[in-house]
Amino acid sequence: MLCSRTALRRLQPICVSQLKVAEGLTSSTPREMSTLPRVYVTRQIPPEGLKILRESGKVQFELWDSDDISVPRKELLQRVRGVDGLLCVLTEKIDAELLDAAGPNLKVLSTMSVGFDHLSLDQLKKRGIRVGYTPEVLTDSVAELTVALLLTTSRRLVEATHEAKTGGWGTWRTLWLCGYELANSTVGILGLGRIGVAIAERLAPFKVKKFIYTDVAPRPELASIINAEYVSFDELAKQSDFLAVCCALTPETKEICNKNLFSKMKNTSIFINTSRGGVVNQEDLYQALSTGQIAAAGLDVTVPEPLPTNHPLFTLKNCVILPHIASASYTTRNAMSALAANNLLLGLQGEPMIKELKL
């Protein structure tokens, strides 16, 4: 498994080896610049990726120079006209409208994400556009955040912090702010991939009794790493004391976590989602939490994002919501931007990408 630090060290040299500028080429003159492929970058990505693009000498690029605000759709449609390559993040919807606006020159798309539900894959395939993405480099940070969110939710740390700050901390009480332990528990994983395995590896030292999982089919090689048992979707719901959602958002998984799932879970169960908000029916989750059908939930992803501050889920003490920060470590985000940049440059040269999505 490729950890993010190792991945970043491996990615950094690519811009000066595989992508080394040909002798005598200086990208500073207008004539030479005009012959280089044009690239649009939809966000101020972390510095390692920008450094690779700048030092490659292989492209001329323009970027939306903000990390706080997404490029407005109207602006994006204008800026992509005639580009050869596009480097985007998950906030940009890459659909037929955008691809039409870009035109036939667009040959390579690189997304700084492991998920690709923001991409119209059928349209990209139809137009012969190659797609790079950034799996593996974020496995460690997402797994760490998932464990942190699970512990925060199950041990009611947000509630406890609030009580300490607002005067609720009185005399010691026998059952006040009691939560649920991982020791001797059953942890269920919905969608067993690299991240699911990494989560289980981090939870194992907490003396978890059993790991179970469900997926579209058994995954014996991955399961053997964590000694996990394959079960049906219904059994996953019934047996799990902690249920971690790690599946991709696809038409098949859209709102798969709904009242059918929650109704089968224990009333002491903890539900954790760090994958995509669209896999959860949030109305059903609210009902399950507010009625005590399940004990608590921890979410790093929602629909929409950001979740409006007046959303009912924010009114619940047993629901911890984070602003989609699972991969938010300096190491991981820089590794993601470096991989996205290298995918783009390699693709534009007609070479194999480091991580290419096969359409």
Side-chain angles (χ1 to χ4, degrees):
M1 194 173 296
L2 187 67
C3 78
S4 53
R5 278 195 180 83
T6 304
L8 181 55
R9 287 196 297 270
R10 290 178 182 173
L11 291 168
Q12 286 169 331
I14 292 176
C15 64
V16 293
S17 55
Q18 290 175 305
L19 304 173
K20 188 168 71 174
V21 184
E23 253 185 71
L25 176 64
T26 57
S27 58
S28 57
T29 65
R31 184 174 179 180
E32 287 166 338
M33 283 292 290
S34 67
T35 64
L36 295 175
R38 287 181 55 225
V39 167
Y40 187 69
V41 183
T42 70
R43 187 65 66 91
Q44 186 188 74
I45 60 172
E48 289 299 334
L50 290 178
K51 180 182 177 183
I52 288 169
L53 291 178
R54 288 194 182 102
E55 294 184 356
S56 72
K58 294 294 185 181
V59 295
Q60 50 180 321
F61 72 92
E62 181 185 2
L63 79 159
W64 176 253
D65 197 12
S66 173
D67 189 36
D68 299 322
I69 302 170
S70 300
V71 55
R73 181 72 174 182
K74 186 176 179 181
E75 175 87 4
L76 179 61
L77 293 175
Q78 291 174 349
R79 295 296 180 182
V80 298
R81 295 188 187 282
V83 299
D84 301 280
L86 182 64
L87 196 160
C88 71
V89 296
L90 54 80
T91 54
E92 276 68 69
K93 187 171 180 59
I94 309 300
D95 55 10
E97 179 189 37
L98 184 138
L99 297 175
D100 285 341
N105 285 352
L106 181 60
K107 297 302 180 188
V108 178
L109 169 76
S110 180
T111 180
M112 190 182 134
S113 65
V114 63
F116 41 83
D117 46 282
H118 57 302
L119 310 179
S120 295
L121 299 182
D122 56 339
Q123 289 291 328
L124 290 161
K125 181 178 181 179
K126 176 183 175 182
R127 298 162 197 251
I129 297 171
R130 296 174 65 189
V131 178
Y133 70 134
T134 60
E136 297 184 16
V137 293
L138 48 65
T139 297
D140 289 340
S141 61
V142 173
E144 287 178 8
L145 188 281
T146 303
V147 172
L149 182 57
L150 187 154
L151 291 169
T152 297
T153 304
S154 64
R155 296 304 300 269
R156 302 171 67 179
L157 300 188
V158 173
E159 285 182 76
T161 300
H162 176 76
E163 293 295 320
K165 284 182 177 180
T166 58
W169 185 2
T171 184
W172 186 85
R173 284 164 271 179
T174 57
L175 290 176
W176 186 54
L177 290 173
C178 282
Y180 298 93
E181 297 181 11
L182 278 158
N184 299 310
S185 69
T186 296
V187 173
I189 299 170
L190 177 56
L192 186 65
R194 290 178 296 271
I195 292 173
V197 169
I199 291 168
E201 287 175 329
R202 285 158 174 78
L203 292 178
F206 287 88
K207 299 181 181 179
V208 170
K209 179 176 66 177
K210 182 168 69 169
F211 290 105
I212 59 176
Y213 76 100
T214 195
D215 211 316
V216 291
R219 307 195 68 179
E221 288 187 10
L222 287 173
S224 65
I225 298 171
I226 55 172
N227 195 27
E229 176 189 346
Y230 179 78
V231 297
S232 68
F233 186 73
D234 282 355
E235 282 302 312
L236 187 80
K238 292 174 183 176
Q239 293 186 37
S240 297
D241 296 301
F242 299 89
L243 178 53
V245 180
C246 304
C247 61
L249 176 58
T250 65
E252 292 73 31
T253 62
K254 183 176 173 59
E255 297 192 355
I256 193 172
C257 300
N258 53 33
K259 60 184 177 183
N260 175 56
L261 174 77
F262 301 132
S263 67
K264 293 179 173 65
M265 292 175 67
K266 306 172 187 178
N267 61 9
T268 55
S269 292
I270 309 292
F271 176 83
I272 303 293
N273 183 20
T274 53
S275 59
R276 284 291 186 266
V279 303
V280 179
N281 182 309
Q282 290 177 173
E283 291 183 8
D284 290 352
L285 177 60
Y286 174 81
Q287 289 300 319
L289 290 168
S290 60
T291 61
Q293 195 167 60
I294 64 174
L299 311 174
D300 183 50
V301 286
T302 60
V303 176
E305 292 183 358
L307 192 65
T309 55
N310 63 351
H311 194 280
L313 284 172
F314 278 122
T315 67
L316 301 174
K317 290 183 178 181
N318 59 343
C319 187
V320 176
I321 301 174
L322 303 179
H324 202 151
I325 59 168
S327 65
S329 75
Y330 292 112
T331 300
T332 291
R333 290 288 173 85
N334 269 297
M336 289 172 70
S337 71
L339 178 53
N342 281 310
N343 280 338
L344 179 76
L345 293 171
L346 290 166
L348 287 171
Q349 290 181 224
E351 298 179 18
M353 295 183 188
I354 301 167
K355 291 295 176 181
E356 184 167 356
L357 193 60
K358 301 302 180 184
L359 301 180

